[in-house]
């Protein structure tokens, strides 16, 4: 099996990028340290630590180790070499992050974090090896060949990341991709003292007087937001009943992820607050439409998916942030969800655009390739 055909490859790359983001956030205040950048290696382990920090640093690198092992073993490498490369690569990434944290006054380099990250990478590789020895990867390959076409790694990675993006607060349920307000504010900040500030300022003004989206617009966003992953799944699966199962699974997974996100932000007692008559009607409509498309050729579903995603991000980009949504973002960015902030935020922002690129690639290819 070629390395690029394994979904573990893009997932490992995405997970490594998110580790970099979480380790160096907020990327401000870079200064040259007054001591050697490797000084933290010779210090005794810190006296003050919490059990949560220990578990987070250990478990945080386990998925990376497991994904790297899976990518290596699927490329044809031996068991021992795959384990060593996965463990060493995870340790090297952790060492690079701890070293760079010397230049950030808001972050503290720690040899204990490095040791736990290295142990997590090795443990993740060991878990991957155990799954491989027990035949888990072989069974997954059989299932994948029955359900999906060849060269489906990118699509599978998108489907796995979609519920992660739903965990970050969205202005409308299932409405991923609202990156323009943050991009607009960042551009305005960068250009405020430049010669083009006056010329470009009108384009960067926020629509502070815009009311919330109408029920019709909210209906459309929710429906399109559910249709998008279903159509991505259709481009890598055989027409027929398997697509119907995938669509039903997307409904269940999306419902669970959105409910969990609401519970994390507003408390378990409000977990189903997002379930309004408008959103439920939109979910039923979206499921009906994608079931009707279950026998559509793959290139046609990719074309429909492009239209669906384009329409969704266009409407979501116009959605203002109400008071409750602003409070949700502050809870994630400044409060107890800061450790998950980078993961869900970036996936939620970029997923629709990555899916657009994927669908464009599918359209450019022949409608062939059987499971």
């Amino acid at each position: 099996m070629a390395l690029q055909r394994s979904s573990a490859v893009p997932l490992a790359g995405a997970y490594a990028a998110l580790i970099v983001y979480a380790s160096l956030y907020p990327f401000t205040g870079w200064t040259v340290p007054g001591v050697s950048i490797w000084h933290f290696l010779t210090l005794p382990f810190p006296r003050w630590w919490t059990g949560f920090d220990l578990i987070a640093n250990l478990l945080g690198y386990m998925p990376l180790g497991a994904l790297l092992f899976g990518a290596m073993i699927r490329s044809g490498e031996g068991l021992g070499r795959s384990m060593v490369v996965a463990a060493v690569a995870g340790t090297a990434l952790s060492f690079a992050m701890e070293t760079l944290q010397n230049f950030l006054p808001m972050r503290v380099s720690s040899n204990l974090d490095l040791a736990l990250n290295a142990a997590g990478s090795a443990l993740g590789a060991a878990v991957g090896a155990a799954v491989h020895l027990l035949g888990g990867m072989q069974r997954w390959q059989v299932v994948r060949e029955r359900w999906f076409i060849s060269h489906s790694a990118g699509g599978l990675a998108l489907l796995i990341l979609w519920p992660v993006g739903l965990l970050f607060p969205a202005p409308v349920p299932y409405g991923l991709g609202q990156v323009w307000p943050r991009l607009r504010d960042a551009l305005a900040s960068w250009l405020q003292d430049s010669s083009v500030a006056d010329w470009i300022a009108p384009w960067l003004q926020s629509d502070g007087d815009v009311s919330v989206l109408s029920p019709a617009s909210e209906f459309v966003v929710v429906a399109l937001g559910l249709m998008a992953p279903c159509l991505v799944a259709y481009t890598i699966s055989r027409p027929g009943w398997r697509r119907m199962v995938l669509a039903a699974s997307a409904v269940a997974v999306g419902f669970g992820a959105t409910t969990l996100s609401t519970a994390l932000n507003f408390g378990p007692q409000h977990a189903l607050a997002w379930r309004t008559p408008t959103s439920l009607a939109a979910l039923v409509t979206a499921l009906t439409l994608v079931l009707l498309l279950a026998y559509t050729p793959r290139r046609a579903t990719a074309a429909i998916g492009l239209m669906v995603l384009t329409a969704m991000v266009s409407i979501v980009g116009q959605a203002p942030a109400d008071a409750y949504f602003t409070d949700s973002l502050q809870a994630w960015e400044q409060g107890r969800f800061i450790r998950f902030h980078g993961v869900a935020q970036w996936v939620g922002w970029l997923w629709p655009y990555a899916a657009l690129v994927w669908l464009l690639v599918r359209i450019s290819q022949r409608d062939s390739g059987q499971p």
Side-chain angles (χ1 to χ4, degrees):
M1 182 68 63
L3 178 63
Q4 64 272 18
R5 296 184 181 180
S6 173
S7 55
V9 176
L11 288 175
Y15 197 85
L18 292 172
I19 286 178
V20 172
Y21 177 88
S23 300
L24 303 181
Y25 181 84
F27 301 96
T28 57
W30 293 87
T31 58
V32 178
V35 297
S36 170
I37 58 175
W38 297 289
H39 178 64
F40 72 95
L41 294 173
T42 61
L43 297 176
F45 281 163
R47 298 179 58 186
W48 306 107
W49 46 267
T50 65
F52 181 82
D53 289 334
L54 294 179
I55 296 175
N57 280 290
L58 179 66
L59 299 184
Y61 271 69
M62 280 186 62
L64 179 64
L67 289 170
L68 289 173
F69 173 84
M72 293 295 296
I73 205 73
R74 291 290 299 276
S75 70
E77 297 290 346
L79 179 67
R81 179 179 175 83
S82 297
M83 291 184 64
V84 171
V85 170
V88 171
T91 302
L93 177 61
S94 176
F95 177 75
M97 294 301 99
E98 296 296 332
T99 302
L100 287 175
Q101 285 178 356
N102 283 286
F103 298 89
L104 291 169
M106 297 182 64
R107 306 308 296 261
V108 178
S109 301
S110 170
N111 51 9
L112 179 59
D113 290 351
L114 174 60
L116 291 170
N117 296 158
S121 300
L123 187 57
V127 171
V131 172
H132 173 67
L133 293 174
L134 292 174
M137 290 188 177
Q138 290 80 357
R139 284 191 287 271
W140 160 244
Q141 183 61 28
V142 172
V143 172
R144 177 172 171 175
E145 290 176 352
R146 289 178 178 175
W147 282 74
F148 303 104
I149 64 172
S150 58
H151 303 284
S152 60
L156 287 172
L158 286 171
L159 295 178
I160 293 172
L161 291 173
W162 177 65
V164 177
L166 293 178
L167 294 177
F168 186 73
V172 182
Y174 295 83
L176 303 182
Q178 196 190 39
V179 69
W180 167 242
R182 295 295 183 95
L183 182 61
R184 179 191 59 209
D185 295 342
L187 287 174
S189 176
W190 293 338
L191 299 175
Q192 62 181 353
D193 296 324
S194 67
S195 58
V196 299
D198 295 336
W199 176 76
I200 202 172
W203 300 90
L204 300 179
Q205 292 179 352
S206 61
D207 301 325
D209 58 343
V210 179
S211 61
V212 297
L213 287 179
S214 65
S217 297
E218 181 179 347
F219 176 92
V220 172
V221 169
V222 174
L224 297 180
L226 177 60
M227 291 180 66
C230 295
L231 293 172
V232 170
Y234 283 13
T235 63
I236 59 175
S237 59
R238 178 188 296 176
W241 66 269
R242 290 180 177 83
R243 288 184 174 181
M244 298 181 182
V245 174
L246 292 172
S249 299
V251 173
V253 172
F255 190 98
T258 305
T259 300
L260 177 59
S261 175
T262 308
L264 290 174
N265 286 284
F266 303 107
Q269 67 273 22
H270 302 294
L272 296 176
W274 67 274
R275 196 185 56 174
T276 64
T278 299
S279 62
L280 290 179
L283 294 180
V284 173
T285 302
L287 179 59
T288 302
L289 291 174
V290 293
L291 290 179
L292 293 175
L293 296 172
Y295 289 89
T296 307
R298 279 186 289 274
R299 291 182 69 185
T301 59
I304 297 173
L306 283 174
M307 294 186 288
V308 164
L309 282 165
T310 302
M312 184 190 73
V313 297
S314 298
I315 301 176
V316 169
Q318 302 171 13
D322 57 44
Y324 294 105
F325 181 55
T326 302
D327 289 342
S328 298
L329 293 184
Q330 291 177 350
W332 275 76
E333 296 174 1
Q334 301 173 7
R336 60 189 181 279
F337 302 119
I338 186 65
R339 295 184 181 276
F340 309 101
H341 167 261
V343 177
Q345 181 187 51
W346 281 99
V347 174
W349 281 352
L350 300 180
W351 191 91
Y353 304 99
L356 283 170
V357 174
W358 167 259
L359 293 174
L360 282 171
V361 173
R362 301 307 300 179
I363 289 178
S364 67
Q365 297 174 344
R366 292 185 177 183
D367 195 4
S368 59
Q370 296 299 322

